[in-house]
Amino acid sequence: MTAAPTVPQPPAGTTVAPSSSVRAWTVTALLVVFMMINFADKSVLGLAADEIRADLGLSATQFGLANSAFFLLFSVAAVVVGMAADRVSPKMLILVMALLWSVAQVPAAIGGGLAVLVASRVFLGAAEGPAFPVAQQATLSWFPDEKRNLPGALITVGITLGVIISAPGLTWVIQNHGWRSALWVLAAIGVVWALAWAALGADSPRGRDGADAAQGHGGGPAVPYRRIFATRTWIGTTLAYFTSYWTVALMLVWLPSYLRNALDYSADTAGIVVVAPWAVGAVVLFGQAWLTGRLMRRGSSSRRARGQVGGGLLAIGALCCLAVPLTDSVVAQTVLIACGFGFGGSYATVAATTVAELAPPHRAGGALGLMNALVTVAGLLAPAAVGALVDAQGVDGYEHAVALSGALIALGAVVAFALIDPERDRARLHR
């Protein structure tokens, strides 16, 4: 298979400096840490759920709505900044985002009640909404299409590492110094990372060449966004990723409480066990990157290498989640949840690389941004829905929430198998 790269190569006669490879991997490493901080920010309220509810006197529904508020402007910001990333320096966008994350932690860290907590989370969500699509675009633009699976997986692994590394530490801070202290810690980490990015981050020369080509220097006619959004591949990828993100939102907000209140783990033990699905997810991500890369190098279609492999991950996750109510063993339930959420929540890299292959380079930021915006609506819905289940059904509500997640990602698997074929739809876009 010879797939046209989504990000153009430097013009004929241009030599890419040997240092470009070093810079590409430096940028990738920094953006992995960027995503780690992003998801540590997202997970901190879930880790402190019981403490926050006790401190502020919140019901499960109120706590779920407070977490849903994080996603109120998340999607809008993802679209606006994702499209801006096609025209504005990704380095500058990322730097501004990181600084805003730190600022957003301060009001709730200082004090206040539910209103302050909700306002700070809305602001934080708006600042973090574009993070994943912009980080993926900034990273993938340094690599040709056939070499994108590993860096794309690494950016997504930053999500899992953010929870794996931060959960035990943040849990300790919460238990010993209070949940507001954890917000101060995250604010300080964000500032330190922003300083490192200002010094070492860079925009890809491939991205600049691609932007020039798209403006009439050999790039051909522009493809309207509406044609990209109408493809079966973009629709299928977005729907499949939506179901996966529902699982991610459930893990972030309610899994620590599930472990403590339904499975009777202590707070400290739950802070360790909660990393299990993320650890499984990290292994799955690298396995998916290896398998997809191997299939594409051997000439397999991207329908098989990305569409069917991604659908398979969701199918395994769905089966594990749906099996949770069938056993009363705490150990078995823990293993099934780890595998179900680990596989079901590992679709992000498949989604990003699929859309990056489908979209022309001058439309990649907008295509990724709108996909991310629609997908993260799951984050707006899932915490509130699960909170309502817990208030209505008590401990049983947690188990029913897992079963609901399993049903959704099963639907995502069917959609992925049925609709996703990047090569077919890319060819149609260029006719």
Side-chain angles (χ1 to χ4, degrees):
M1 180 193 72
T2 51
T6 21
V7 177
Q9 306 300 313
T14 299
T15 302
V16 178
S19 61
S20 293
S21 178
V22 175
R23 180 54 66 90
W25 288 109
T26 299
V27 168
T28 301
L30 284 168
L31 290 174
V32 169
V33 179
F34 176 74
M35 292 308 303
M36 289 172 63
I37 298 169
N38 180 285
F39 265 72
D41 288 345
K42 286 184 175 71
S43 68
V44 65
L45 292 199
L47 295 170
D50 289 355
E51 288 75 16
I52 294 172
R53 288 179 60 191
D55 185 22
L56 302 183
L58 305 179
S59 67
T61 300
Q62 289 173 317
F63 180 74
L65 288 171
N67 279 274
S68 292
F70 177 87
F71 293 93
L72 191 62
L73 298 179
F74 194 96
S75 299
V76 175
V79 174
V80 172
V81 178
M83 291 185 175
D86 289 330
R87 301 171 178 82
V88 181
S89 162
K91 177 183 177 179
M92 184 56 63
L93 289 174
I94 289 168
L95 177 62
V96 171
M97 278 191 281
L99 291 172
L100 289 177
W101 299 354
S102 294
V103 171
Q105 304 287 7
V106 173
I110 291 173
L114 178 60
V116 173
L117 180 63
V118 168
S120 67
R121 296 304 282 183
V122 170
F123 181 43
L124 180 63
E128 292 196 346
F132 183 71
V134 174
Q136 282 282 5
Q137 182 193 15
T139 302
L140 298 181
S141 64
W142 283 89
F143 301 89
D145 185 57
E146 68 275 9
K147 295 183 179 179
R148 287 177 174 175
N149 292 303
L150 179 57
L154 287 171
I155 296 301
T156 310
V157 164
I159 294 171
T160 64
L161 290 177
V163 180
I164 290 171
I165 293 174
S166 70
L170 289 175
T171 298
W172 182 88
V173 172
I174 291 163
Q175 295 298 312
N176 291 277
H177 300 284
W179 63 274
R180 298 186 195 272
S181 295
L183 302 183
W184 284 115
V185 170
L186 292 171
I189 291 172
V191 170
V192 171
W193 184 90
L195 293 174
W197 177 252
L200 301 174
D203 292 326
S204 167
R206 293 176 184 272
R208 288 192 294 271
D209 294 335
D212 290 341
Q215 307 221 355
H217 301 293
V223 176
Y225 281 118
R226 59 180 173 76
R227 289 190 59 205
I228 299 170
F229 301 151
T231 62
R232 293 177 63 181
T233 292
W234 191 88
I235 293 169
T237 302
T238 301
L239 289 173
Y241 190 14
F242 177 93
T243 67
S244 179
Y245 203 89
W246 179 285
T247 301
V248 172
L250 179 57
M251 280 195 288
L252 286 169
V253 177
W254 286 111
L255 182 57
S257 290
Y258 182 13
L259 295 174
R260 292 170 67 173
N261 299 320
L263 301 186
D264 293 326
Y265 286 104
S266 68
D268 289 338
T269 303
I272 297 171
V273 175
V274 76
V275 308
W278 303 96
V280 171
V283 174
V284 171
L285 283 169
F286 282 117
Q288 174 270 318
W290 173 83
L291 178 58
T292 296
R294 179 179 174 83
L295 288 171
M296 295 188 74
R297 286 191 299 273
R298 296 181 66 177
S300 294
S301 68
S302 54
R303 177 185 181 185
R304 181 184 179 196
R306 286 176 174 149
Q308 294 181 1
V309 169
L313 299 183
L314 295 177
I316 294 170
L319 290 173
C320 291
C321 287
L322 292 171
V324 169
L326 304 180
T327 177
D328 294 326
S329 166
V330 170
V331 173
Q333 286 185 341
T334 303
V335 171
L336 287 170
I337 289 169
C339 292
F341 288 0
F343 277 86
S346 297
Y347 195 76
T349 299
V350 178
T353 54
T354 299
V355 171
E357 179 185 353
L358 169 71
H362 56 289
R363 293 291 187 246
L368 287 166
L370 183 59
M371 175 185 71
N372 206 62
L374 295 176
V375 161
T376 52
V377 171
L380 184 65
L381 300 176
V386 175
L389 280 174
V390 172
D391 274 341
Q393 302 176 2
V395 171
D396 290 342
Y398 291 110
E399 191 171 276
H400 293 155
V402 174
L404 174 60
S405 184
L408 284 172
I409 55 179
L411 176 62
V414 172
V415 168
F417 282 117
L419 297 183
I420 295 174
D421 188 344
E423 289 171 298
R424 173 200 64 202
D425 290 335
R426 187 181 66 233
R428 290 176 178 174
L429 287 175
H430 288 284
R431 285 176 186 169

Coordinates of all heavy atoms in Angstrom, one line a residue, residues 42-94:
K42 N -7.6 16.5 35.3 CA -9.0 15.9 35.2 C -9.3 15.0 36.3 O -10.5 14.9 36.8 CB -9.1 15.2 33.9 CG -9.2 16.1 32.6 CD -9.4 15.2 31.4 CE -9.7 16.1 30.2 NZ -8.4 16.7 29.7
S43 N -8.3 14.2 36.8 CA -8.6 13.1 37.7 C -8.7 13.5 39.2 O -9.2 12.8 40.0 CB -7.5 12.0 37.6 OG -6.3 12.4 38.0
V44 N -8.2 14.7 39.5 CA -8.0 15.1 40.9 C -9.3 15.1 41.7 O -9.4 14.7 42.8 CB -7.2 16.4 41.1 CG1 -8.0 17.6 40.5 CG2 -6.9 16.7 42.5
L45 N -10.4 15.6 41.1 CA -11.7 15.6 41.8 C -12.2 14.2 42.0 O -12.8 13.9 43.0 CB -12.7 16.5 41.0 CG -12.5 18.0 40.9 CD1 -13.8 18.7 40.6 CD2 -11.9 18.5 42.2
G46 N -12.0 13.3 41.1 CA -12.4 11.9 41.3 C -11.7 11.3 42.4 O -12.3 10.6 43.2
L47 N -10.4 11.6 42.5 CA -9.6 11.0 43.6 C -10.1 11.5 45.0 O -9.9 10.9 46.0 CB -8.1 11.3 43.4 CG -7.5 10.6 42.2 CD1 -6.1 11.2 41.9 CD2 -7.4 9.1 42.3
A48 N -10.6 12.8 45.0 CA -11.0 13.4 46.2 C -12.5 13.4 46.3 O -13.1 14.2 47.1 CB -10.4 14.9 46.3
A49 N -13.2 12.6 45.6 CA -14.7 12.7 45.6 C -15.3 12.6 46.9 O -16.2 13.5 47.3 CB -15.2 11.5 44.7
D50 N -15.0 11.6 47.7 CA -15.6 11.5 49.0 C -15.3 12.7 50.0 O -16.1 13.2 50.7 CB -15.2 10.2 49.7 CG -15.8 9.0 49.0 OD1 -16.6 9.2 48.1 OD2 -15.4 7.8 49.4
E51 N -14.0 13.1 49.9 CA -13.6 14.3 50.7 C -14.3 15.6 50.3 O -14.8 16.4 51.1 CB -12.1 14.5 50.6 CG -11.3 13.4 51.3 CD -11.2 12.1 50.6 OE1 -11.6 12.0 49.4 OE2 -10.9 11.0 51.2
I52 N -14.4 15.8 49.0 CA -15.1 17.0 48.5 C -16.6 16.9 48.9 O -17.2 17.9 49.3 CB -14.9 17.2 47.0 CG1 -13.4 17.4 46.7 CG2 -15.8 18.3 46.4 CD1 -13.1 17.4 45.2
R53 N -17.2 15.8 48.7 CA -18.7 15.7 49.0 C -18.9 15.9 50.5 O -19.9 16.6 50.8 CB -19.2 14.3 48.5 CG -19.3 14.1 47.0 CD -19.8 12.7 46.7 NE -21.1 12.5 47.3 CZ -21.7 11.3 47.3 NH1 -21.1 10.2 46.8 NH2 -22.9 11.2 47.8
A54 N -18.0 15.4 51.3 CA -18.2 15.6 52.8 C -17.9 17.1 53.1 O -18.7 17.7 53.9 CB -17.2 14.7 53.5
D55 N -16.9 17.7 52.5 CA -16.5 19.1 52.8 C -17.6 20.1 52.4 O -17.9 21.0 53.1 CB -15.2 19.4 52.2 CG -14.7 20.8 52.5 OD1 -15.1 21.3 53.6 OD2 -13.8 21.3 51.8
L56 N -18.1 19.8 51.2 CA -19.1 20.8 50.6 C -20.6 20.4 50.8 O -21.5 21.1 50.4 CB -18.8 21.0 49.2 CG -17.4 21.6 48.8 CD1 -17.2 21.8 47.3 CD2 -17.1 22.8 49.6
G57 N -20.8 19.2 51.4 CA -22.1 18.7 51.6 C -22.9 18.4 50.3 O -24.1 18.8 50.2
L58 N -22.3 17.7 49.4 CA -22.8 17.4 48.1 C -23.4 16.0 47.9 O -22.9 15.1 48.5 CB -21.8 17.6 47.0 CG -21.0 18.9 46.9 CD1 -20.0 18.9 45.8 CD2 -22.0 20.1 46.8
S59 N -24.6 15.9 47.2 CA -25.1 14.6 46.9 C -24.3 14.1 45.7 O -23.5 14.8 45.1 CB -26.5 14.7 46.5 OG -26.7 15.5 45.2
A60 N -24.5 12.8 45.4 CA -23.8 12.2 44.2 C -24.1 13.0 42.9 O -23.3 13.2 42.1 CB -24.1 10.7 44.1
T61 N -25.4 13.3 42.8 CA -25.8 14.0 41.6 C -25.2 15.4 41.5 O -24.7 15.8 40.4 CB -27.4 14.2 41.6 OG1 -28.0 12.9 41.6 CG2 -27.8 15.0 40.4
Q62 N -25.1 16.1 42.6 CA -24.4 17.4 42.6 C -23.0 17.3 42.3 O -22.4 18.1 41.5 CB -24.6 18.1 43.9 CG -26.0 18.6 44.2 CD -26.2 19.1 45.6 OE1 -25.7 18.5 46.6 NE2 -26.9 20.3 45.8
F63 N -22.3 16.3 42.8 CA -20.9 16.1 42.5 C -20.7 15.8 41.1 O -19.8 16.2 40.4 CB -20.3 15.0 43.4 CG -18.9 14.8 43.2 CD1 -17.9 15.6 43.6 CD2 -18.5 13.6 42.5 CE1 -16.5 15.4 43.4 CE2 -17.1 13.4 42.3 CZ -16.2 14.3 42.7
G64 N -21.6 14.9 40.5 CA -21.5 14.6 39.1 C -21.7 15.8 38.2 O -21.0 15.9 37.2
L65 N -22.7 16.7 38.6 CA -22.9 17.9 37.8 C -21.7 18.8 37.9 O -21.3 19.5 36.9 CB -24.1 18.6 38.3 CG -25.5 17.9 37.9 CD1 -26.6 18.6 38.7 CD2 -25.7 17.9 36.4
A66 N -21.0 18.9 39.0 CA -19.8 19.7 39.2 C -18.7 19.2 38.3 O -18.0 20.0 37.6 CB -19.3 19.7 40.6
N67 N -18.6 17.9 38.1 CA -17.6 17.4 37.2 C -18.0 17.5 35.7 O -17.2 17.7 34.9 CB -17.4 15.9 37.5 CG -16.4 15.7 38.7 OD1 -15.2 15.7 38.5 ND2 -16.9 15.6 39.9
S68 N -19.3 17.4 35.5 CA -19.8 17.6 34.1 C -19.5 19.1 33.7 O -19.3 19.3 32.5 CB -21.3 17.3 34.0 OG -21.6 16.0 34.2
A69 N -19.5 20.0 34.6 CA -19.3 21.4 34.3 C -17.9 21.6 33.7 O -17.8 22.6 32.9 CB -19.4 22.3 35.6
F70 N -17.0 20.7 34.0 CA -15.7 20.8 33.4 C -15.8 20.8 31.8 O -15.0 21.4 31.1 CB -14.8 19.6 33.8 CG -13.5 19.5 33.2 CD1 -12.4 20.2 33.8 CD2 -13.3 18.7 32.1 CE1 -11.1 20.1 33.2 CE2 -12.0 18.6 31.5 CZ -11.0 19.3 32.1
F71 N -16.8 20.1 31.3 CA -16.9 19.9 29.9 C -17.9 20.9 29.2 O -18.2 20.8 28.1 CB -17.4 18.5 29.6 CG -16.3 17.4 29.9 CD1 -16.3 16.8 31.1 CD2 -15.3 17.1 29.0 CE1 -15.4 15.9 31.5 CE2 -14.4 16.2 29.3 CZ -14.4 15.5 30.5
L72 N -18.4 21.9 30.0 CA -19.4 22.8 29.5 C -18.8 23.6 28.3 O -19.5 23.8 27.3 CB -19.8 23.8 30.6 CG -21.0 24.6 30.3 CD1 -22.3 23.7 30.1 CD2 -21.3 25.6 31.5
L73 N -17.6 24.1 28.4 CA -17.0 24.9 27.3 C -15.9 24.1 26.7 O -15.2 24.6 25.7 CB -16.4 26.2 27.8 CG -17.5 27.2 28.4 CD1 -16.8 28.4 28.9 CD2 -18.5 27.5 27.4
F74 N -15.7 22.9 27.1 CA -14.6 22.0 26.6 C -14.7 21.8 25.1 O -13.7 22.0 24.4 CB -14.7 20.7 27.4 CG -13.5 19.8 27.3 CD1 -12.5 19.8 28.2 CD2 -13.4 18.9 26.2 CE1 -11.4 18.9 28.2 CE2 -12.3 18.0 26.1 CZ -11.3 18.0 27.1
S75 N -15.9 21.5 24.7 CA -16.1 21.1 23.3 C -16.0 22.4 22.4 O -15.4 22.3 21.3 CB -17.5 20.5 23.1 OG -17.6 19.3 23.8
V76 N -16.5 23.5 22.8 CA -16.5 24.7 22.1 C -15.0 25.1 21.9 O -14.6 25.5 20.8 CB -17.3 25.9 22.8 CG1 -17.1 27.2 22.0 CG2 -18.7 25.5 22.8
A77 N -14.3 25.1 23.0 CA -12.8 25.5 22.9 C -12.1 24.5 22.0 O -11.2 25.0 21.3 CB -12.2 25.5 24.3
A78 N -12.4 23.2 22.0 CA -11.7 22.3 21.2 C -11.9 22.6 19.7 O -11.0 22.5 18.9 CB -12.2 20.9 21.4
V79 N -13.1 23.0 19.3 CA -13.4 23.4 17.9 C -12.6 24.6 17.5 O -11.9 24.7 16.5 CB -14.9 23.6 17.6 CG1 -15.1 24.1 16.2 CG2 -15.6 22.2 17.9
V80 N -12.8 25.7 18.3 CA -12.2 27.0 18.0 C -10.7 26.9 17.9 O -10.1 27.4 16.9 CB -12.7 28.1 19.0 CG1 -11.9 29.4 18.8 CG2 -14.2 28.3 18.9
V81 N -10.1 26.3 18.9 CA -8.6 26.3 19.0 C -8.1 25.3 18.0 O -7.1 25.4 17.4 CB -8.1 26.0 20.4 CG1 -6.6 25.9 20.4 CG2 -8.6 27.1 21.3
G82 N -8.9 24.2 17.8 CA -8.4 23.2 16.8 C -8.3 23.8 15.4 O -7.4 23.5 14.7
M83 N -9.3 24.6 15.0 CA -9.3 25.2 13.7 C -8.2 26.3 13.7 O -7.5 26.5 12.7 CB -10.6 25.8 13.4 CG -11.7 24.7 13.1 SD -13.3 25.4 12.5 CE -14.1 23.9 12.2
A84 N -8.0 27.0 14.8 CA -6.9 28.0 14.9 C -5.6 27.4 14.7 O -4.6 28.0 14.2 CB -7.0 28.8 16.2
A85 N -5.4 26.1 15.1 CA -4.1 25.4 15.1 C -3.7 25.2 13.6 O -2.5 24.9 13.3 CB -4.2 24.1 15.8
D86 N -4.7 25.3 12.7 CA -4.3 25.2 11.2 C -3.6 26.5 10.8 O -3.1 26.6 9.7 CB -5.6 25.0 10.4 CG -6.1 23.5 10.6 OD1 -5.3 22.7 10.9 OD2 -7.3 23.3 10.5
R87 N -3.7 27.6 11.6 CA -3.2 28.9 11.1 C -2.2 29.5 12.1 O -1.4 30.4 11.7 CB -4.4 29.9 10.9 CG -5.4 29.4 9.9 CD -6.6 30.3 9.8 NE -7.6 29.8 8.8 CZ -8.4 28.8 9.0 NH1 -8.5 28.2 10.1 NH2 -9.2 28.5 8.0
V88 N -2.3 29.2 13.4 CA -1.5 29.8 14.4 C -0.5 28.8 14.9 O -0.7 27.6 14.9 CB -2.4 30.2 15.6 CG1 -1.6 30.9 16.7 CG2 -3.5 31.2 15.1
S89 N 0.6 29.3 15.4 CA 1.7 28.4 15.9 C 1.2 27.5 17.0 O 0.7 28.0 18.1 CB 2.8 29.3 16.5 OG 3.6 28.6 17.4
P90 N 1.2 26.2 16.8 CA 0.9 25.2 17.9 C 1.7 25.4 19.1 O 1.2 25.2 20.2 CB 1.1 23.9 17.2 CG 1.0 24.1 15.8 CD 1.5 25.5 15.5
K91 N 3.0 25.8 19.0 CA 3.8 26.0 20.2 C 3.2 27.1 21.1 O 3.1 26.9 22.3 CB 5.2 26.4 19.8 CG 6.1 26.7 21.0 CD 7.5 27.2 20.6 CE 8.3 27.5 21.9 NZ 9.7 28.0 21.6
M92 N 2.8 28.2 20.5 CA 2.2 29.3 21.2 C 0.9 28.9 21.9 O 0.6 29.2 23.0 CB 2.0 30.5 20.4 CG 1.5 31.7 21.1 SD 2.6 32.2 22.6 CE 4.1 32.5 21.7
L93 N 0.0 28.2 21.1 CA -1.3 27.7 21.6 C -1.1 26.8 22.8 O -1.8 27.0 23.8 CB -2.1 27.0 20.5 CG -2.6 27.8 19.4 CD1 -3.2 26.9 18.3 CD2 -3.7 28.8 19.9
I94 N -0.2 25.9 22.7 CA 0.1 25.0 23.8 C 0.6 25.7 25.0 O 0.3 25.4 26.2 CB 1.0 23.9 23.3 CG1 0.3 23.0 22.3 CG2 1.6 23.0 24.5 CD1 1.2 22.0 21.6

